[in-house]
């Protein structure tokens, strides 16, 4: 059974940093592209970033480029999202998602972790 | 960016058919591949993949869910609607980056 378990969220002041983690199990983690998708309170879904199987290629939405860093540790079956210079508009639930290799849909999702940016 | 437009809400009676639409601002099809996908999200839960590539049922999803469409117009059909289907439904395109989602259609009971 595929499992994705996020951690690392919380209440953070604007301008500070946070690192989210996602522990994966139930599939051959190193063979799959992984992604982060976020959802602001009462809003829709927004793709944030993706990372290739080996970690050498990363992709971001324009609004987070330069502040967000996606990475992975295939030895630990873990995905990360480093968020710097947090802004109020980053307040959201962040989901880790397994991405289909060819058609780029998200076939499994974690339960999500909440990030609240507030002073 | 490709914009996906969904109606905000749809009211349906149990046992009836629900048809949820998604319109893309430009074609999301490449050759015979229709790169539109559908998700279900219940309150307080993560999204769940229902349909991939417009018409393919994801693993474990009941056959009362089906998808159709090509180019810019796509449809998710639930027939018959059951109480467990009350949720918000999102379409998502993977034709271009950034991968974008529709704003969601909330399925409500009439």
């Amino acid at each position: 059974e595929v499992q994705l378990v996020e951690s690392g969220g919380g209440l953070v002041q604007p301008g500070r940093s946070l690192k989210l983690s996602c522990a994966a199990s139930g599939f051959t983690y190193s063979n799959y592209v992984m992604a982060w998708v976020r959802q602001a309170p009462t809003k829709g879904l927004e793709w944030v970033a993706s990372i290739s199987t080996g970690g050498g290629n990363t992709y971001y939405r324009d609004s987070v480029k330069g502040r967000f860093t996606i990475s992975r540790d295939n030895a630990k079956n873990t995905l990360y999202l480093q968020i710097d210079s947090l802004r109020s508009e980053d307040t959201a639930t962040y989901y880790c998602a397994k991405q289909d290799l060819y058609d780029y849909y998200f076939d499994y999702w974690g339960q999500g972790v909440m990030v609240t940016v507030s002073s | 960016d490709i914009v996906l437009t969904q109606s905000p809400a749809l009211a349906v009676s149990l046992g009836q058919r629900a048809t949820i639409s998604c319109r893309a601002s430009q074609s999301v099809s490449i050759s015979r591949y229709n790169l539109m996908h559908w998700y279900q999200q219940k309150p307080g839960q993560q999204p769940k993949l229902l349909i991939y590539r417009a018409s393919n049922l994801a693993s474990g999803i009941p056959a009362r869910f089906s998808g159709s469409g090509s180019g810019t117009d796509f449809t998710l059909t639930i027939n018959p609607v059951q109480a467990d289907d009350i949720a918000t439904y999102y379409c998502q395109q993977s034709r271009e980056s950034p991968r974008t989602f529709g704003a969601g259609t909330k399925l409500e009971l009439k």
Side-chain angles (χ1 to χ4, degrees):
Chain A
E1 178 193 6
V2 173
Q3 285 202 314
L4 300 169
V5 180
E6 302 95 336
S7 60
L11 173 63
V12 187
Q13 292 180 327
R16 304 294 291 265
S17 297
L18 197 64
K19 188 170 187 175
L20 307 180
S21 299
C22 170
S25 61
F27 64 104
T28 305
Y29 176 74
S30 59
N31 286 355
Y32 290 90
V33 174
M34 297 296 294
W36 290 96
V37 178
R38 69 182 178 183
Q39 185 171 35
T42 72
K43 301 296 184 183
L45 300 165
E46 181 177 78
W47 169 78
V48 172
S50 295
I51 187 167
S52 61
T53 54
N57 293 299
T58 56
Y59 310 89
Y60 301 92
R61 67 179 305 103
D62 285 348
S63 60
V64 306
K65 282 180 184 174
R67 295 193 303 119
F68 286 28
T69 304
I70 188 172
S71 61
R72 65 191 296 162
D73 184 335
N74 285 345
K76 294 183 177 179
N77 287 359
T78 303
L79 178 71
Y80 303 100
L81 185 68
Q82 174 74 37
I83 310 175
D84 297 325
S85 304
L86 276 155
R87 305 169 179 170
S88 58
E89 56 263 36
D90 297 322
T91 294
T93 297
Y94 286 74
Y95 294 101
C96 163
K98 175 177 168 286
Q99 188 171 313
D100 177 77
L101 271 176
Y102 304 106
D103 294 329
Y104 308 125
Y105 55 85
F106 308 105
D107 52 6
Y108 291 94
W109 299 64
Q111 86 287 351
V113 62
M114 184 69 199
V115 174
T116 303
V117 184
S118 175
S119 53
Chain B
D1 297 3
I2 296 178
V3 176
L4 303 180
T5 301
Q6 298 183 247
S7 297
L10 176 67
V12 63
S13 301
L14 292 178
Q16 299 301 303
R17 176 195 305 259
T19 302
I20 297 171
S21 64
C22 177
R23 174 165 288 177
S25 59
Q26 62 190 77
S27 176
V28 298
S29 299
I30 302 176
S31 185
R32 59 189 174 94
Y33 293 102
N34 300 304
L35 298 176
M36 183 67 80
H37 322 289
W38 291 93
Y39 303 85
Q40 176 194 66
Q41 187 178 33
K42 297 179 181 178
Q45 295 187 17
Q46 69 268 50
K48 179 196 296 186
L49 176 68
L50 294 176
I51 301 283
Y52 62 95
R53 272 192 273 117
S55 60
N56 297 276
L57 206 61
S59 175
I61 302 303
R64 65 179 182 275
F65 291 90
S66 62
S68 63
S70 64
T72 60
D73 292 297
F74 295 86
T75 300
L76 171 71
T77 301
I78 312 169
N79 189 30
V81 169
Q82 298 186 0
D84 188 52
D85 302 333
I86 300 306
T88 299
Y89 293 85
Y90 295 93
C91 54
Q92 177 241 326
Q93 65 80 24
S94 60
R95 173 64 178 84
E96 288 184 358
S97 187
R99 318 305 174 192
T100 50
F101 293 84
T105 297
K106 189 173 183 180
L107 189 65
E108 301 169 330
L109 282 180
K110 192 180 287 185

